[in-house]
Amino acid sequence: MKTEQHIKLGRLTVLISFLLGTAIFILYFLTSSFEILTLGQSFIALAGLINVGILISILFKANRDKDNRAQLFTTCGLMLLNIPVLFFYCWVTGILLNTMRITFTNTTKITLTNINIVGCGGGHIEKLENGESETVWVDITGDCSLGINYLSEGQNKEENVVGYVTPLMGQKMKHNIGGKNDKQF
């Protein structure tokens, strides 16, 4: 393979790896889908093997081609830039796996106040008008359940949100306060 082909292959590999990895990360961020998480893990393994193979090939070419060594090493450097991106995406994914992202929607006909998220890392919403929504990120601090208590026309009410969560079980979900909810976990 010619030097130009090695450089082109390396740069194309960098671009494709970055774009596909970023697309998978964004899909996981938006959905918290286990299937997307599994796809991401498989992509990391496959892309890692391909990138290492191409990187080694370029390094061998740089060892033999002294005239174009700087360009080949620059291409290797570009390929290595995906590593910090990978670590950043893994770090954020770790946070997401230990966080419940719950969008609370007031489905009652009245304003709800002093909404406390009870369990795990907890949380608080001061007020939700009828039909209003707010997303709360709740840290999963260990095995726990999540519920809410709130004031509705001066009366204290309670609802179960999630019966059981544990670390690495983070999800993105919706909860209708005072209304019907899909069965959670």
Side-chain angles (χ1 to χ4, degrees):
M1 191 182 303
K2 293 181 180 180
T3 301
E4 297 80 29
Q5 291 173 315
H6 273 90
I7 292 169
K8 187 176 181 179
L9 179 62
R11 290 181 180 181
L12 186 61
T13 303
V14 168
L15 184 62
I16 291 171
S17 296
F18 176 77
L19 292 176
L20 286 176
T22 299
I24 292 169
F25 173 75
I26 289 170
L27 281 172
Y28 178 72
F29 182 85
L30 294 174
T31 65
S32 285
S33 165
F34 178 76
E35 291 80 12
I36 300 292
L37 182 64
T38 304
L39 175 65
Q41 291 170 332
S42 300
F43 174 76
I44 289 170
L46 180 62
L49 287 173
I50 291 169
N51 276 268
V52 167
I54 293 171
L55 184 68
I56 289 170
S57 171
I58 292 171
L59 287 171
F60 278 125
K61 183 67 172 179
N63 188 42
R64 292 189 309 265
D65 186 352
K66 295 182 193 306
D67 294 335
N68 296 303
R69 186 173 287 164
Q71 284 182 302
L72 290 163
F73 281 155
T74 300
T75 301
C76 289
L78 283 173
M79 292 184 75
L80 293 174
L81 286 177
N82 271 337
I83 294 173
V85 174
L86 167 70
F87 285 138
F88 174 74
Y89 290 168
C90 288
W91 175 69
V92 173
T93 300
I95 291 170
L96 295 175
L97 284 169
N98 289 300
T99 305
M100 293 297 293
R101 296 178 285 160
I102 308 168
T103 301
F104 291 98
T105 302
N106 179 359
T107 60
T108 68
K109 297 190 184 326
I110 58 171
T111 300
L112 303 176
T113 60
N114 199 28
I115 303 162
N116 292 302
I117 294 94
V118 181
C120 295
H124 181 78
I125 302 171
E126 190 61 39
K127 176 172 80 168
L128 281 179
E129 301 287 340
N130 174 28
E132 189 177 28
S133 295
E134 187 170 327
T135 301
V136 178
W137 290 45
V138 180
D139 291 334
I140 302 173
T141 56
D143 293 353
C144 55
S145 61
L146 286 170
I148 56 171
N149 60 51
Y150 56 93
L151 291 176
S152 173
E153 296 182 319
Q155 290 186 332
N156 194 20
K157 304 231 174 174
E158 295 182 6
E159 291 181 20
N160 186 42
V161 177
V162 179
Y164 176 78
V165 294
T166 191
L168 301 179
M169 193 177 159
Q171 292 290 312
K172 183 176 182 182
M173 62 177 282
K174 296 178 181 179
H175 181 82
N176 296 320
I177 301 174
K180 288 193 171 195
N181 289 287
D182 295 334
K183 195 170 189 177
Q184 299 293 331
F185 305 90

